[in-house]
Structures are given as C-alpha cells and as structure tokens.
Amino acid sequence: VPIGGKFRLIDIPLSNAANCGIRKSIILTQGKDASLIRHLKDVWYSDSRFGIFVDILSPQIAGSVYHGDADAVRQVVDRIDTLKPDFVLIVPGDHLLKMDYANFVDFLAYSNAGAAISIIPEPIRMAKHLGSLKLEKNNEISGFDEKNPDTDHRFQDDDGNNLFYASMGIYAFRRNTLFKALQQPGNLFGREIIPSLLTTTKTIGYDYHRYNIILDNIKFNIQNHLISSSGKSSDSNYWKDVGTIQEYFKANMDLISVSPRFNLYGEKWPFYTMNYNLGPGKIVKPLGIGNIKNVLICDGSFLSDSSVASAIISPKVIVDKSNLNEVLVFSDTTIHECDIRRAIIDKNVVLKNMRIGYDEEEDSKNGIVIDPDSKIRIVPKNYDHTLRFFGKSKQKSMLLEYSEYQ
C-alpha cells in the first residue's frame, strides 16, 4: 500500500530498522502478496546499500496459512533460531512512525525482564479499539485488557485528562522467552499470548512518548515561515495505525498539511524506497487556468490546467483539465476532465469526464467502491472508464481488488 505518494507502508518499519542499525529482518506476508514481494525484492532484498539482510516468508513458503500475528511467528521459529538472535523484535507492517527500535531493544536488554511492549498514552475513549495495560512504577506491566472500553487500567495526567496506556503492537522478546510463549495456545499476541505471558514472565512497558527520541534535521512551517531545525524531531511521539481506509486516508492528508504531524523531510532519519529514475513532477498551464494548493507531486507526474488541493500524486500520473480535492492518486493513472473529491484512485486507472465523490448512487453504478464508514470513494486498480462497460465478471474483480487493498 502506498504512503506519501512514493513510499510503501512496508518501507517505514524497514527504514526505521536500517536507520538504527538492525541488520536482519524477516518479513511475514499474508496472501495476495505478489506486489508486496516484488517491491521488497526490488528495494530491500539483501540490498548492499543498507548492509542488511531481508528474508521474505509468505504462507505458501511456510507451507500453511497464518491465523494471526503470533501464529505467523510460531511457524517460522526454526528460521529465527538459525539466526541465533539474543533478542527478537516484532513490528507491524501497517504503522506510520519514526521509532528507534534499537533503543527499545536496549530498554529490554538492560532490565531483568523477558519481554517488553511499546506503549503510548491514549484518551480513555480509545480503549475499545486498543489493548490497555496497567503499568507499575518500575515499568512492569501487571495487567492487560484487549479492547475493553470499561478497562480499569486508567490514570489522569497533570491536566486531569483520563488516559490509559495502549499497546502499540510492537514487542521485544528474549529469544527463549518468545519461544516458550509461543508454545502456549493462541494465535494472537494481544488477545492470547501476552495475557498468558504476564502470568509467568516479567514484562515491561516502554513509554514511547518518554523514551523514543529521533535526532534529525527537519524543515517545517511556523507562523507562515519555513524553517529548519536540528535536535529531537517533533514527530518522535507520532504513531498511527493505518489499518482502516479512514485512518489511512487521514494519515495521508496529514502529510500534505502545512505543518504535518509526521514529517517526511528529515535528513538524518530518511525513508528508503524505489528510485524510479524519472524526471521531476511538473505543473503546466497551457490555457492559463488551474490552481495548486497543498499537493505532493512525485517524479514523472504532470498536472496540466488543473485545480488540485490537498492531494498526493504518485509517480507517472497525468492530471489534465480536472478538479481534485482531498484525493490520493496511485501510480500509472490518467485523469482527464474530471471532478473528484475525497477519493483514493488505485494504480493503472483511466478516468475521463467523471464526477466522483458527489453522488453515491451514481458512483456505485459506475463501479466505484464506497467505504461504508467514511464514505471515501475507492476507484479500483485497472479501472478504465473509457471502456464504458462493466460486466459481472469485471465488477467482481473490482470488489476482490478492494478486499485485497483492505
């Protein structure tokens, strides 16, 4: 899944690992992963630029289907054991953050605990969506609730706000502790493995806001002035789980804001991805019309006589005589004489003379998928409106593509 136009979500944790010196990574994929595996091999697979080793294990290679994050790790313990690590770091592939994983592992290494969980303070209303933990003064975790809105694991900050410590789904284990934990029944770390672990093994909480410090040179906007700053990056405390369409869309919209909470322009903590070797993005006005505001334009893309606001334009995109507002456009897409708002345009799409995001009935008739929670429109991969016809088989393939995207 693309993020910020030129990156893929998987580039974020792998870049964090590269930036903090972690050299061996195993990527566990889960079905319909051809595009992901192709990207990993093109960019990361044993790439000498980073001096790291990346091993990709799909369910087909492992020989069965993964039934959860813990089950996926359980099925590759032999592969992990061959690497003989002292510690094992487990990180989700759909989180947006800058994290010093090495500092997190050191936090565990310098303790007498068997495991550590990265935690973050969240408003109590979020307890129904996230695992909540009870943290003692010595950083030991003494209780865990999985997505319980009535959790007792709450506290008040200095301003009187009701908060709880949420699990970020990022874990560090001593190798033997992990292997013993995975001998217990359960396929999910948060729901099954961690609660069981707490009854037998000392587990500590790593306060992400307190301990995660990313030193960087970044550029940002303050009072309408663009400035550079060195030291602790302002997004050291940023964390976003983009596992839903709505959260994914919001995270991308933040990237194009005047002062984004997550900054892609750091110099000392860069993110790595595919280099397309294309010319820079270009804005032209042959007819002298159009306006551009808060837009990311990637290499090889053209905006011609168009008004575009709050949009991310991926590589190799053409937008001609169109109006786009709050739109994410994936690569190899052409948009001509269209009016589109609050939409995600998947890759290899052709749109001509269309209005998207205004009429649910019309959008559905045209094969546009509508996210039920956010009403964000999703134009599926390989959609070509110039064909003017969508049979049953084509419509089915679009919905399957949408399921794959989620």
Side-chain angles (χ1 to χ4, degrees), residues 162-173:
N162 290 317
L163 306 173
F164 73 102
Y165 279 117
S167 169
M168 297 170 63
I170 299 174
Y171 312 104
F173 293 89

PDB file of all heavy atoms in Angstrom, residues 162-173:
ATOM      1  N   ASN A 162      -8.427  11.827  31.408  1.00  0.00           N
ATOM      2  CA  ASN A 162      -8.480  10.389  31.660  1.00  0.00           C
ATOM      3  C   ASN A 162      -7.795   9.649  30.510  1.00  0.00           C
ATOM      4  O   ASN A 162      -8.237   9.705  29.357  1.00  0.00           O
ATOM      5  CB  ASN A 162      -9.927   9.915  31.803  1.00  0.00           C
ATOM      6  CG  ASN A 162     -10.571  10.407  33.073  1.00  0.00           C
ATOM      7  OD1 ASN A 162      -9.949  10.381  34.142  1.00  0.00           O
ATOM      8  ND2 ASN A 162     -11.815  10.869  32.989  1.00  0.00           N
ATOM      9  N   LEU A 163      -6.723   8.932  30.843  1.00  0.00           N
ATOM     10  CA  LEU A 163      -5.913   8.260  29.837  1.00  0.00           C
ATOM     11  C   LEU A 163      -5.711   6.797  30.216  1.00  0.00           C
ATOM     12  O   LEU A 163      -6.049   6.371  31.324  1.00  0.00           O
ATOM     13  CB  LEU A 163      -4.546   8.939  29.701  1.00  0.00           C
ATOM     14  CG  LEU A 163      -4.516  10.443  29.425  1.00  0.00           C
ATOM     15  CD1 LEU A 163      -3.086  10.958  29.488  1.00  0.00           C
ATOM     16  CD2 LEU A 163      -5.144  10.757  28.078  1.00  0.00           C
ATOM     17  N   PHE A 164      -5.163   6.047  29.289  1.00  0.00           N
ATOM     18  CA  PHE A 164      -4.705   4.686  29.567  1.00  0.00           C
ATOM     19  C   PHE A 164      -3.472   4.436  28.709  1.00  0.00           C
ATOM     20  O   PHE A 164      -3.237   5.114  27.710  1.00  0.00           O
ATOM     21  CB  PHE A 164      -5.801   3.654  29.269  1.00  0.00           C
ATOM     22  CG  PHE A 164      -6.055   3.440  27.804  1.00  0.00           C
ATOM     23  CD1 PHE A 164      -5.554   2.317  27.150  1.00  0.00           C
ATOM     24  CD2 PHE A 164      -6.803   4.353  27.061  1.00  0.00           C
ATOM     25  CE1 PHE A 164      -5.787   2.113  25.804  1.00  0.00           C
ATOM     26  CE2 PHE A 164      -7.047   4.148  25.709  1.00  0.00           C
ATOM     27  CZ  PHE A 164      -6.538   3.032  25.080  1.00  0.00           C
ATOM     28  N   TYR A 165      -2.674   3.471  29.119  1.00  0.00           N
ATOM     29  CA  TYR A 165      -1.525   3.076  28.308  1.00  0.00           C
ATOM     30  C   TYR A 165      -1.977   2.025  27.302  1.00  0.00           C
ATOM     31  O   TYR A 165      -2.451   0.952  27.686  1.00  0.00           O
ATOM     32  CB  TYR A 165      -0.397   2.525  29.174  1.00  0.00           C
ATOM     33  CG  TYR A 165       0.452   3.602  29.810  1.00  0.00           C
ATOM     34  CD1 TYR A 165       0.516   3.734  31.197  1.00  0.00           C
ATOM     35  CD2 TYR A 165       1.196   4.482  29.030  1.00  0.00           C
ATOM     36  CE1 TYR A 165       1.290   4.716  31.787  1.00  0.00           C
ATOM     37  CE2 TYR A 165       1.967   5.470  29.606  1.00  0.00           C
ATOM     38  CZ  TYR A 165       2.013   5.589  30.977  1.00  0.00           C
ATOM     39  OH  TYR A 165       2.774   6.568  31.551  1.00  0.00           O
ATOM     40  N   ALA A 166      -1.816   2.343  26.025  1.00  0.00           N
ATOM     41  CA  ALA A 166      -2.229   1.447  24.955  1.00  0.00           C
ATOM     42  C   ALA A 166      -1.035   0.672  24.421  1.00  0.00           C
ATOM     43  O   ALA A 166       0.067   1.216  24.287  1.00  0.00           O
ATOM     44  CB  ALA A 166      -2.875   2.236  23.821  1.00  0.00           C
ATOM     45  N   SER A 167      -1.268  -0.582  24.112  1.00  0.00           N
ATOM     46  CA  SER A 167      -0.246  -1.368  23.433  1.00  0.00           C
ATOM     47  C   SER A 167      -0.152  -0.915  21.984  1.00  0.00           C
ATOM     48  O   SER A 167      -1.168  -0.766  21.290  1.00  0.00           O
ATOM     49  CB  SER A 167      -0.584  -2.856  23.483  1.00  0.00           C
ATOM     50  OG  SER A 167       0.256  -3.593  22.609  1.00  0.00           O
ATOM     51  N   MET A 168       1.069  -0.692  21.497  1.00  0.00           N
ATOM     52  CA  MET A 168       1.284  -0.312  20.109  1.00  0.00           C
ATOM     53  C   MET A 168       1.450  -1.531  19.203  1.00  0.00           C
ATOM     54  O   MET A 168       1.647  -1.384  17.988  1.00  0.00           O
ATOM     55  CB  MET A 168       2.528   0.588  19.999  1.00  0.00           C
ATOM     56  CG  MET A 168       2.391   1.904  20.757  1.00  0.00           C
ATOM     57  SD  MET A 168       3.954   2.823  20.856  1.00  0.00           S
ATOM     58  CE  MET A 168       4.286   3.172  19.131  1.00  0.00           C
ATOM     59  N   GLY A 169       1.370  -2.723  19.785  1.00  0.00           N
ATOM     60  CA  GLY A 169       1.556  -3.927  18.983  1.00  0.00           C
ATOM     61  C   GLY A 169       2.991  -4.139  18.560  1.00  0.00           C
ATOM     62  O   GLY A 169       3.268  -4.886  17.615  1.00  0.00           O
ATOM     63  N   ILE A 170       3.927  -3.498  19.261  1.00  0.00           N
ATOM     64  CA  ILE A 170       5.355  -3.627  18.987  1.00  0.00           C
ATOM     65  C   ILE A 170       5.983  -4.306  20.200  1.00  0.00           C
ATOM     66  O   ILE A 170       5.883  -3.796  21.320  1.00  0.00           O
ATOM     67  CB  ILE A 170       5.994  -2.257  18.726  1.00  0.00           C
ATOM     68  CG1 ILE A 170       5.351  -1.608  17.494  1.00  0.00           C
ATOM     69  CG2 ILE A 170       7.499  -2.376  18.536  1.00  0.00           C
ATOM     70  CD1 ILE A 170       5.816  -0.178  17.236  1.00  0.00           C
ATOM     71  N   TYR A 171       6.630  -5.453  19.966  1.00  0.00           N
ATOM     72  CA  TYR A 171       7.126  -6.274  21.060  1.00  0.00           C
ATOM     73  C   TYR A 171       8.617  -6.582  20.884  1.00  0.00           C
ATOM     74  O   TYR A 171       9.110  -6.714  19.764  1.00  0.00           O
ATOM     75  CB  TYR A 171       6.371  -7.602  21.115  1.00  0.00           C
ATOM     76  CG  TYR A 171       4.866  -7.482  21.038  1.00  0.00           C
ATOM     77  CD1 TYR A 171       4.182  -7.792  19.861  1.00  0.00           C
ATOM     78  CD2 TYR A 171       4.127  -7.066  22.128  1.00  0.00           C
ATOM     79  CE1 TYR A 171       2.799  -7.679  19.780  1.00  0.00           C
ATOM     80  CE2 TYR A 171       2.747  -6.948  22.071  1.00  0.00           C
ATOM     81  CZ  TYR A 171       2.085  -7.256  20.884  1.00  0.00           C
ATOM     82  OH  TYR A 171       0.723  -7.141  20.811  1.00  0.00           O
ATOM     83  N   ALA A 172       9.303  -6.709  22.022  1.00  0.00           N
ATOM     84  CA  ALA A 172      10.677  -7.216  22.032  1.00  0.00           C
ATOM     85  C   ALA A 172      10.728  -8.371  23.032  1.00  0.00           C
ATOM     86  O   ALA A 172      10.174  -8.278  24.133  1.00  0.00           O
ATOM     87  CB  ALA A 172      11.669  -6.126  22.427  1.00  0.00           C
ATOM     88  N   PHE A 173      11.379  -9.452  22.617  1.00  0.00           N
ATOM     89  CA  PHE A 173      11.480 -10.644  23.463  1.00  0.00           C
ATOM     90  C   PHE A 173      12.930 -11.107  23.528  1.00  0.00           C
ATOM     91  O   PHE A 173      13.672 -10.996  22.548  1.00  0.00           O
ATOM     92  CB  PHE A 173      10.668 -11.810  22.867  1.00  0.00           C
ATOM     93  CG  PHE A 173       9.189 -11.625  22.859  1.00  0.00           C
ATOM     94  CD1 PHE A 173       8.556 -11.024  21.783  1.00  0.00           C
ATOM     95  CD2 PHE A 173       8.410 -12.092  23.908  1.00  0.00           C
ATOM     96  CE1 PHE A 173       7.182 -10.884  21.750  1.00  0.00           C
ATOM     97  CE2 PHE A 173       7.037 -11.960  23.890  1.00  0.00           C
ATOM     98  CZ  PHE A 173       6.419 -11.345  22.814  1.00  0.00           C
TER      99      PHE A 173
END
